[in-house]
């Protein structure tokens, strides 16, 4: 029964839907899409690389089943909205892609590749990503999604710049060539074979090479917007990358270049008028795959039934189309009675077909299976909308202890004009067995509702699925199961409901289960149900610096959270490294039900050079259960809330670093910037300075002003008040500006000129040799003598947006470059300015300091003291 229910599931998430996903707009597009059986896969390297205009035009405008495969989750990028980097940023950018797909109508896939940072060549990238494994992931996605057309965003040549871009273009073509190769990619491991019919590359940046163009500015009267406007909204979901866009009206062209075709090779590419030229896009293409007379009859009848449904649809009174839509659904079921080719991942959740032997899944049969699955999903969605049915699945709270249960309410609303039947079939949550909810149908009269309550265990706790196992090099390690499942299909919980509409049984999958509440400012909020341990512990920091062999006296905050509905008494234990003690090694704490409490632990002592660990645990007095981890929340208004679970440990990186006692630092934060907190860990007094207050702030009380990375780009107020910083330096202060982009070449940003190449110079090999140009310069000798060892253990990169040419007043202190590239002396520049000192630093300190790189701490201490009369150690 459950397998049968899974045959055509659909998701109606309990959230406020965009206008294009509900009501007449959604119903109209679904019915228009009933006869469309083509699929397109767009492939590129990162979140924000996708051609949202093409995806929107295809998915929303032509109802083509469209997906975007991003090789990575963008973990190695930068963050304009918060301090998350690495895996935390990857979580944000994954969710931003899903938010974009909810706007433009596409589906979302990933490979296992981890974004290790900027790369200049495909060879360098393949040194991080095993070529065969990542290509295997792409082949899996191709065989799973079964596209007729692949569109590569990038050319696969050095012209693409970023090595990841080049690799995405290379692997896209290799997957087109090799997806049918069952010797290299066995069916048992990579899924039933599939042959892609055509291969295109994007030509939006080289329109003179285009062989096909489409007006993505085409207007949709039902939506009241053009597809280019929708694409602008989709693109604007990449907020962490600062990609907000204006939603422009009017004609807007997108361009493609055909590179290969298996169906119309003889036709010159420039003569094509459609992406699908040479492909039979009618149901006649699929008739031969039917195994029985009954199946063929159903396939033959579908075009007529679809046309009848379109003719019957009155968007002002959609109930009139219910019988015709029910007939479409009935024919689809009849056409697939002979079985399909395994799991067909189309739509918002898994569409599971009857399990054929993989060896019996021919190319034609696979094509039919996907076309029927897509049509069944669309017909089911349209039938529910036309009948006026809405389903809500809500929980009584958001976070549930694994030792507790949660009450879930499932409500079916019939807002239509005719009665429907409902059967609450089965409830499923991640990590828990399915819960059957009974049999038989309950009548739901027009303009009424029926509710079923059930008490269930919560989903299993954990980080987003791709973080639940340690990475293997620069590849994520997927959990058991299908790692190529589309990301928009992954639901932590869902309820399967059977509707009976016009005599037809309609299986719907609704999820995730959500806690719904009203925020006084934001209004209705829906937060997915999540399971957590009964008690969690989260340290405010995961890594901090300490000055080696100097007195350490630091207070750390530990956040204890109880998700339990019962009181909990726990014993908190703090294990410290040699040389450090806690003010209370153990303490008893009583937590009220669902209480959150901050506990402060004072650490005192001295640490030898090296990395040390503080570990905190909580032992339940009643059960003896030991809790040793907690979570950090990632919450931004444009994405779904996420949690990253981690052990309750603090790494203390003890560094031999000397800091002048007379320093007083004002810090203007940049983007993705945690440097200020690191300075405090080094016993530097730091005051955060708002750029808007720079014009009136008393800078005279500071020895040094530090400007964070890309701060001029993100803060127009800073640029407007830059003369205050110039005046501060002129009067004897030290100004340190961390890297910026092309805004830094504008007059007035720096006291002396620099230029940046296009693309700007950067050192992406973190082990690249560093030459110290002036070993006697005071910036490199005091208070810490900087040597080659200070560049050991760097992560991801050495420097970025490094000046290509510098004015003669600057003194360059370091030279570094990637292999086979010209030398670059722009990583660290120092210049006198009036009575003070100006430092421009394009070293990637914003990555090295949060990673606890010892040399980065010593370098930054010297920079802070660059304008001091002496670098004498206190």
């Amino acid at each position: 029964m459950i397998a049968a229910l899974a045959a055509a599931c659909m998701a109606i998430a309990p959230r406020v839907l965009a206008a294009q996903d509900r009501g007449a707009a959604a119903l109209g597009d679904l019915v228009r899409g009933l006869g469309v059986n083509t699929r397109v896969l767009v492939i590129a390297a990162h979140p924000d690389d996708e051609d949202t205009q093409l995806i929107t035009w295809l998915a929303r405008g032509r109802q083509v089943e469209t997906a975007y495969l991003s090789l990575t989750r963008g973990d190695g990028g930068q963050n304009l909205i918060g301090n998350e980097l690495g895996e935390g940023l990857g979580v944000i950018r994954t969710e931003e892609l899903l938010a974009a797909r909810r706007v433009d109508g596409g589906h979302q896939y990933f490979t296992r590749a981890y974004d290790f940072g900027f790369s200049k060549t495909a060879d360098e990238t393949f040194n991080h990503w095993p070529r065969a494994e990542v290509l295997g992931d792409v082949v899996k996605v191709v065989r799973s999604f079964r596209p007729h057309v692949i569109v590569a965003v990038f050319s696969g040549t050095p012209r693409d710049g970023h090595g990841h871009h080049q690799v995405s273009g290379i692997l896209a073509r290799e997957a087109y060539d090799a997806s049918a190769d069952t010797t290299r990619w066995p069916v048992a491991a990579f899924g039933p074979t599939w042959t892609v019919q055509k291969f295109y590359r994007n030509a939006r940046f080289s329109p003179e090479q285009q062989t096909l163009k489409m007006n993505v500015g085409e207007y949709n009267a039902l939506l009241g917007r053009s597809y280019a406007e929708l694409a602008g909204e989709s693109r604007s979901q990449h907020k962490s990358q600062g990609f907000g866009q204006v939603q422009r009206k009017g004609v807007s062209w997108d361009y493609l270049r055909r590179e290969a075709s298996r169906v119309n090779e003889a036709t010159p590419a420039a003569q094509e008028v459609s992406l699908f030229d040479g492909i039979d896009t009618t149901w006649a293409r699929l008739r031969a795959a039917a195994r029985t007379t009954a199946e063929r009859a159903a396939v033959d009848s579908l075009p007529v039934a679809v046309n009848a449904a379109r003719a019957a649809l009155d968007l002002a009174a959609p109930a009139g189309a219910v019988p015709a839509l029910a007939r479409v659904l009935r024919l689809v079921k009849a056409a697939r009675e002979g079985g399909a080719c395994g799991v067909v991942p189309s739509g918002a959740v898994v569409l599971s077909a009857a399990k054929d032997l993989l060896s019996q899944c021919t190319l034609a049969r696979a094509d039919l299976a996907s076309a029927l699955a897509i049509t069944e999903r669309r017909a089911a969605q349209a039938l529910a909308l036309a009948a006026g049915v809405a389903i809500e699945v809500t929980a009584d709270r958001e976070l549930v202890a694994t030792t507790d249960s949660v009450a879930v309410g499932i409500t079916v609303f019939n807002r239509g004009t005719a009665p429907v039947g409902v059967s609450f079939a089965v409830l499923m949550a991640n990590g828990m067995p399915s819960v059957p909810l009974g049999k038989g149908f309950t009548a739901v009269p027009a303009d009424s509702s029926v509710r079923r309550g059930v008490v269930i265990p919560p989903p299993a706790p954990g980080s987003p699925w791709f973080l639940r196992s340690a990475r293997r090099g620069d590849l994520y390690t997927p959990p058991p199961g299908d790692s190529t499942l589309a990301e928009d299909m992954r639901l932590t919980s869902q309820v399967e409901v059977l509707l009976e509409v016009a005599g037809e049984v309609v299986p719907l999958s609704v999820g995730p289960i959500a806690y719904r509440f009203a925020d006084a400012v934001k209004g209705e909020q829906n937060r997915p149900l999540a399971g957590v341990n009964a008690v969690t512990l989260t340290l405010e920091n995961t890594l901090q610096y300490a000055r080696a062999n100097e007195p350490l006296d630091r207070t750390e905050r530990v956040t204890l959270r109880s998700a339990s509905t019962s009181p909990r008494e726990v014993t908190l234990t703090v294990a410290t490294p040699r040389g450090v003690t806690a003010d209370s090694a153990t303490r008893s704490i009583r937590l009220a039900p669902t209480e959150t409490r901050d506990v402060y632990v004072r650490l005192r002592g001295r640490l030898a050079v090296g990395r040390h660990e503080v570990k905190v645990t909580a032992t339940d007095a009643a059960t003896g259960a030991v809790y040793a981890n907690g979570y950090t929340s990632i919450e931004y208004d444009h994405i779904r809330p996420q949690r990253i679970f981690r052990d309750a440990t603090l790494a203390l990186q003890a560094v031999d670093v000397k800091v002048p006692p007379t320093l007083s630092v004002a810090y203007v934060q940049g983007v993705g910037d945690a440097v200020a907190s690191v300075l405090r860990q080094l016993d530097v007094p730091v005051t955060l300075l708002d750029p808007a207050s720079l014009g009136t702030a008393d800078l005279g009380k500071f020895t040094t002003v530090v400007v964070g990375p890309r701060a001029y780009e993100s803060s127009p107020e800073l640029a407007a008040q830059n003369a205050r910083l110039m005046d501060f330096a002129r009067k004897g202060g030290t100004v340190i500006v961390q890297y910026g982009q092309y805004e830094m070449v504008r007059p007035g940003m720096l006291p002396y000129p620099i230029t940046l190449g296009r693309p700007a110079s950067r050192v992406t090999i973190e082990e690249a040799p560093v030459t110290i140009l002036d070993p006697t310069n005071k910036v490199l000798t005091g208070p810490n003598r900087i040597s080659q060892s200070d560049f050991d253990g760097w992560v991801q990169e050495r420097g970025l947006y490094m000046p290509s040419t510098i004015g003669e007043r600057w003194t360059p202190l370091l030279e570094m470059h990637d292999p086979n590239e010209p030398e670059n002396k722009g990583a660290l520049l120092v210049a006198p300015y009036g009575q003070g000192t100006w430092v421009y630093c394009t070293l990637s300190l914003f990555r090295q300091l949060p990673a606890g790189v010892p040399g980065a701490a010593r370098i930054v201490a010297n920079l802070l003291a660059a304008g001091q009369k002496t670098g004498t150690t206190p």
Side-chain angles (χ1 to χ4, degrees):
M1 177 64 174
I2 293 175
L5 293 180
C9 35
M10 135 185 138
I12 306 174
R15 59 181 174 86
V16 176
L17 299 176
Q20 65 266 17
D21 291 322
R22 53 194 165 105
L27 180 56
D29 279 353
L30 284 167
V31 173
R32 276 205 304 152
L34 285 178
V36 180
N37 54 42
T38 45
R39 299 174 296 280
V40 173
L41 180 64
V42 179
I43 300 178
H46 307 109
D48 75 33
D49 284 343
E50 76 271 33
D51 185 343
T52 52
Q53 292 193 332
L54 178 63
I55 293 172
T56 307
W57 184 81
L58 286 169
R60 296 288 188 195
R62 298 299 182 270
Q63 286 69 51
V64 172
E65 194 81 346
T66 309
Y68 173 51
L69 169 58
S70 176
L71 297 190
T72 78
R73 298 172 186 271
D75 329 71
Q78 296 160 51
N79 185 357
L80 271 67
I81 61 175
N83 291 335
E84 297 89 351
L85 294 173
E87 291 177 349
L89 179 58
V91 171
I92 291 173
R93 298 187 71 183
T94 295
E95 287 297 316
E96 288 181 335
L97 271 179
L98 293 175
R101 299 295 81 80
R102 288 192 288 271
V103 174
D104 60 37
H107 304 298
Q108 184 61 51
Y109 289 88
F110 295 94
T111 73
R112 292 171 293 152
Y114 175 76
D115 181 352
F116 58 85
F118 190 86
S119 168
K120 295 179 179 177
T121 67
D123 287 343
E124 179 191 347
T125 299
F126 282 130
N127 286 337
H128 287 263
W129 301 341
R131 183 170 187 155
E133 292 193 58
V134 180
L135 175 57
D137 287 356
V138 178
V139 169
K140 280 185 177 181
V141 171
V142 168
R143 290 187 179 182
S144 177
F145 184 68
R146 301 168 184 163
H148 299 98
V149 177
I150 287 177
V151 177
V153 172
F154 295 105
S155 69
T157 69
R159 186 181 68 195
D160 299 328
H162 201 317
H164 299 181
H165 294 170
Q166 297 176 47
V167 164
S168 74
I170 292 168
L171 296 185
R173 179 57 195 260
E174 289 184 358
Y176 169 82
D177 292 334
S179 62
D181 184 347
T182 56
T183 300
R184 187 178 182 188
W185 313 110
V187 169
F190 294 89
T193 185
W194 181 254
T195 300
V196 183
Q197 301 300 304
K198 301 178 76 175
F199 183 86
Y200 289 82
R201 294 196 190 272
N202 193 284
R204 56 183 163 167
F205 297 120
S206 53
E208 71 283 356
Q209 298 181 7
Q210 61 90 11
T211 60
L212 183 67
K213 67 178 183 178
M214 58 282 298
N215 175 19
V216 295
E218 179 185 338
Y219 178 66
N220 184 313
L222 196 58
L223 298 176
R225 304 167 75 184
S226 71
Y227 302 116
E229 288 176 277
L230 278 176
E233 181 183 343
S234 171
R235 186 73 169 165
S236 296
Q237 302 309 305
H238 297 293
K239 300 183 190 302
S240 68
Q241 306 306 296
F243 279 168
Q245 287 193 347
V246 172
Q247 298 176 29
R248 300 189 184 280
K249 299 175 176 62
V251 173
S252 179
W253 294 103
D254 203 358
Y255 303 97
L256 299 176
R257 175 175 61 85
R258 194 186 84 189
E259 183 171 294
S261 173
R262 293 185 169 98
V263 291
N264 63 340
E265 303 97 318
T267 303
Q271 293 181 13
E272 288 193 331
V273 296
S274 166
L275 200 64
F276 303 106
D277 276 8
I279 299 174
D280 181 0
T281 61
T282 71
W283 284 89
R285 173 184 95 243
L286 304 166
R287 186 178 188 276
R291 290 176 174 169
T292 67
T293 301
E295 285 184 17
R296 281 191 292 274
V299 171
D300 289 342
S301 299
L302 269 171
V304 175
V306 166
N307 287 335
R310 291 174 178 170
L313 181 62
D314 178 353
L315 292 174
V322 164
L325 289 169
R327 173 167 169 73
V328 172
L329 191 57
R330 187 159 51 249
L331 287 170
V332 171
K333 292 177 182 178
R336 60 191 301 177
E337 280 184 356
C341 298
V343 174
V344 182
S346 297
V349 289
V350 181
L351 296 171
S352 301
K355 297 284 187 179
D356 276 2
L357 294 175
L358 293 179
S359 60
Q360 297 178 5
C361 190
T362 64
L363 186 66
R365 191 71 183 169
D367 196 10
L368 175 63
S370 290
L372 291 174
I374 294 166
T375 304
E376 185 170 6
R377 168 174 51 84
R378 292 175 176 177
Q381 290 176 328
L383 191 53
L385 285 172
V389 174
I391 304 173
E392 291 181 347
V393 185
T394 57
D396 62 6
R397 59 192 188 279
E398 177 186 4
L399 299 179
V400 183
T402 54
T403 54
D404 289 344
S405 56
V406 58
V408 173
I410 309 156
T411 307
V412 177
F413 297 89
N414 181 0
R415 301 185 289 185
T417 59
V420 299
V422 60
S423 176
F424 300 96
V426 64
L427 184 147
M428 295 175 286
N430 180 35
M432 59 164 274
S434 300
V435 178
L437 302 179
K439 299 180 179 180
F441 283 89
T442 300
V444 188
D447 202 22
S448 67
S449 64
V450 62
R451 185 181 188 276
R452 172 69 59 86
V454 63
V455 176
I456 64 167
S463 298
W465 73 273
F466 55 92
L467 294 179
R468 295 189 180 187
S469 300
R471 290 199 318 270
R472 176 169 55 86
D474 286 318
L475 292 181
Y476 282 114
T477 304
D482 183 7
S483 63
T484 61
L485 185 66
E487 200 77 17
D488 52 294
M489 302 178 199
R490 296 181 183 275
L491 298 177
T492 56
S493 58
Q494 64 190 58
V495 175
E496 290 189 355
V497 176
L498 291 181
L499 293 180
E500 189 174 46
V501 181
E504 195 60 40
V505 175
V506 185
L508 308 179
S509 181
V510 186
I513 302 168
Y515 170 57
R516 185 174 64 180
F517 64 97
D519 180 276
V521 175
K522 299 176 182 178
E524 180 176 318
Q525 301 292 295
N526 291 274
R527 300 178 66 90
L529 172 70
V532 295
N533 288 331
V535 177
T536 58
L537 309 88
T538 304
L539 273 67
E540 183 176 11
N541 301 287
T542 57
L543 185 147
Q544 286 196 349
Y545 282 104
R547 297 171 64 192
N549 302 311
E550 297 287 342
L552 174 72
D553 189 344
R554 191 167 295 177
T555 298
E556 294 296 327
R557 184 176 69 191
V558 182
T559 299
L560 282 171
R561 298 182 180 96
S562 171
S564 175
T565 54
S566 303
R568 296 273 175 166
E569 187 167 332
V570 298
T571 299
L572 193 72
T573 302
V574 182
T576 57
R578 177 179 296 182
V580 173
T581 60
D583 56 349
S584 177
T586 62
R587 65 184 80 177
S588 295
I589 299 172
R590 183 175 178 81
L591 294 170
T594 67
E595 179 185 2
T596 296
R597 184 188 303 183
D598 287 335
V599 177
Y600 294 89
V601 177
R602 188 177 183 185
L603 303 174
R604 286 180 286 188
R606 292 174 185 262
L607 289 170
V609 170
R611 185 163 291 197
H612 311 270
E613 186 177 86
V614 176
K615 186 173 183 178
V616 183
T617 58
T619 304
D620 192 302
T623 66
V626 178
Y627 301 101
N629 67 16
Y631 60 86
T632 56
S633 296
I634 294 180
E635 302 205 17
Y636 295 96
D637 286 346
H638 67 300
I639 60 176
R640 302 176 303 181
Q642 299 291 312
R643 295 171 189 84
I644 298 179
F645 286 75
R646 67 188 193 205
D647 290 340
T649 58
L650 166 65
L652 290 171
Q653 181 68 54
V655 181
D656 181 13
V657 56
K658 302 172 181 64
V659 177
T662 55
L663 286 177
S664 178
V665 174
Y667 197 98
V668 180
Q669 284 197 290
V671 300
D673 186 5
V675 173
S677 63
V678 171
L679 299 184
R680 293 192 180 105
Q681 295 161 21
L682 298 175
D683 301 325
V684 176
V686 177
T687 300
L688 291 179
L689 198 61
D690 184 348
S693 66
L694 189 59
T696 57
D698 178 13
L699 301 182
K701 60 184 180 181
F702 302 110
T703 61
T704 309
V705 176
V706 181
V707 177
R710 297 176 68 178
Y712 287 97
E713 175 190 1
S714 63
S715 175
E717 297 90 347
L718 174 61
Q721 296 293 336
N722 202 46
R724 285 293 319 275
L725 297 183
M726 296 283 189
D727 186 61
F728 171 74
R730 191 180 295 111
K731 293 177 180 178
T734 298
V735 176
I736 302 170
V737 177
Q738 296 175 69
Y739 95 98
Q741 297 189 352
Y742 292 97
E743 70 279 1
M744 301 310 299
V745 304
R746 298 202 310 259
M749 293 297 98
L750 295 172
Y752 308 114
I754 63 168
T755 65
L756 293 175
R758 289 188 179 272
S761 299
R762 56 203 303 165
V763 178
T764 62
I765 306 298
E766 56 266 39
E767 305 89 3
V770 176
T771 300
I772 296 176
L773 298 174
D774 184 3
T776 63
N777 189 285
K778 68 175 184 176
V779 175
L780 299 176
T781 59
N784 306 282
R785 182 168 291 279
I786 303 303
S787 68
Q788 293 292 339
S789 64
D790 290 304
F791 296 94
D792 293 342
W794 282 46
V795 298
Q796 187 163 320
E797 60 196 352
R798 289 217 186 273
L800 64 170
Y801 287 86
M802 298 160 59
S804 297
T805 64
I806 57 178
E808 61 182 14
R809 299 294 300 274
W810 292 109
T811 298
L813 300 182
L814 303 173
E815 193 286 321
M816 60 186 69
H817 60 273
D818 279 334
N820 303 315
E821 293 193 356
E823 69 173 19
N824 187 292
K825 299 179 180 181
L828 182 57
L829 305 177
V830 180
Y833 190 71
Q835 300 178 42
T837 303
W838 200 286
V839 178
Y840 186 53
C841 179
T842 58
L843 296 171
S844 61
L845 296 178
F846 73 102
R847 292 197 193 279
Q848 312 311 320
L849 292 170
V853 175
R858 290 165 48 82
I859 290 170
V860 79
N862 281 25
L863 297 183
L864 294 174
Q868 301 257 313
K869 298 300 181 184
T870 176
T872 304
T873 302

